[in-house]
Amino acid sequence: MTAASRPVASEGRDAPATSARTILDAADIRRALTRIAHEILERTKGGHDVVVLGIPTRGVNLAQRLAARLTEVEDRPIPVGSLDVTMYRDDLRLRPARALGRTEVPREGIDGRVVVLVDDVLFSGRTVRAALDALGDLGRPRAVQLAVLIDRGHRDLPIRADYVGKNIPTSLREVVKVLVTEVDGRDAVLLGQAGADPRHTHRISSDESEEGA
Amino acid sequence: MKRDLLSAGELSRDEAVLILDTAEELAGLTERPIKKLPTLRGRTVVNLFFEDSTRTRISFEAAAKRLSADVLNFSAKGSSVSKGESLKDTALTLEAMGADGVVIRHSASGAPHRLATWVRGSVINAGDGAHEHPTQALLDAFTMRRHLGRLEGLRVTIVGDVLHSRVARSNVLLLSTLAAETTLVAPPTLLPVAVETWPCAVSYDLDSVLPKTDVVMMLRVQAERMNASYFPTVREYSRRYRLDAARMAQLPDDAIVMHPGPMNRGVEIAAEVADSARSTIVEQVANGVTVRMAVLYLLLGGAKA
């Protein structure tokens, strides 16, 4: 998700608009995560030293599923945790202070390891920028890779994902919403219409109805 | 969140829980190699202390520095205040220096409220007279919740000089908002007028309350009160209201012992109690920094309200 789209307040909310249509269903998400798990193992030559860190809220659920698949395939536990980036965001001053998510670094730590960051939607890239800063304060990974379920384009920063579930070309007026069973009761990716560019909407007001892009 | 934190009593339940939850997420910071977050970079926090207080001041200073804020310390001693400057002129000076947050400790009740009407930055009450000390109440509630897992229905007993205690008042108000049940225990001379209007119970008998207590909070008997005939002798006070090992044994098994500090060992609390495994006194200090970080973040971290 992006700078404009990751408010804790969006948790548990329904689909953004009535016109939202499903672009990935539960089976699509399952297959995408399985493929990403195999790509990670291929790229890291067996997943040695891999630590999976999800970005709250839904990135954490996806990270746990990804780690479970890695563990299953390699038959040894792959450490998984969460990394809250709220305190490192560049848009903190644009809205009232928001609630924090949880940071949980696995016991193994991240020094010298390959950290795979997991998020649900890659949009402006600002969340990932914040995550890289947050990681730097936690330790020194050997490498950092990025896995996202959806890449919707419109990057503001020179950031790209190493593993992508699905590329979805969008317009800035559209809203991408990832639902996960743990938070929303079901798995799906929805594409809906927002009233205006959600990024700009957020800069003008804190209209929560636009969140979840 | 509101713009200022002037009183524990003005916090809604949601606001209080948000502060405690934020502190919970920040608590992990102390175990990290880099105990610092960039969140308040470029913001200025002024510690404006008109009363001596080392622990509260350094607690706020540590909290602000861990969030990367710039901290200016202003103490009344040796400052323009000792030359007769008024609170308002001091406030205007701070305003001109661009203070985003002002942490104020003052001997006069209500001084932070006045200050808040003069400065644009957020004002945080760090203790005003015998009125309120909201961040102390928040860190106490945070400590209770961490140990006992909840606040609703928790039986909290506050013992000692309630009359002169801003800590007691802030705790009673906040705990009432958070649905804990508070009982004040003190000699009648050390209870404030109209205490029956507070949202709490009152008792003069510590021994009868202790078996029904989850948290016992001992207040300091301030040395200057000891000779002011609030009670006949220190010995008599200690016999009736000191928490010693025998009284601690009357508490339920998982009950905790708290003290806002500084302690008078042997007067209101026996040394073996203060050093026991049930005592959270040292932990309260650590939690103080965490809770103050949460307050500074929530007041100064977002867009100006």
Side-chain angles (χ1 to χ4, degrees), chain B residues 149-169:
Chain B
R150 69 199 159 95
L151 289 164
E152 291 97 338
L154 220 55
R155 297 163 302 177
V156 181
T157 300
I158 302 176
V159 188
D161 184 357
V162 177
L163 178 62
H164 300 97
S165 174
R166 48 195 171 213
V167 176
R169 184 193 304 264

Side-chain angles (χ1 to χ4, degrees), chain A residues 115-182:
Chain A
V115 171
V116 178
L117 289 172
V118 182
D119 204 356
D120 51 2
V121 181
L122 180 58
F123 188 7
S124 68
R126 289 173 190 269
T127 298
V128 176
R129 201 276 315 155
L132 292 172
D133 284 355
L135 268 185
D137 281 357
L138 288 177
R140 187 177 182 282
R142 180 156 57 81
V144 182
Q145 299 179 348
L146 174 63
V148 297
L149 184 59
I150 304 293
D151 183 347
R152 64 166 293 187
H154 303 289
R155 216 75 77 236
D156 290 348
L157 298 169
I159 282 171
R160 63 164 183 80
D162 300 271
Y163 314 103
V164 179
K166 190 170 175 58
N167 282 294
I168 299 179
T170 57
S171 84
L172 283 174
R173 297 179 61 87
E174 285 171 317
V175 178
V176 178
K177 173 81 178 159
V178 172
L179 306 179
V180 295
T181 312
E182 296 91 322

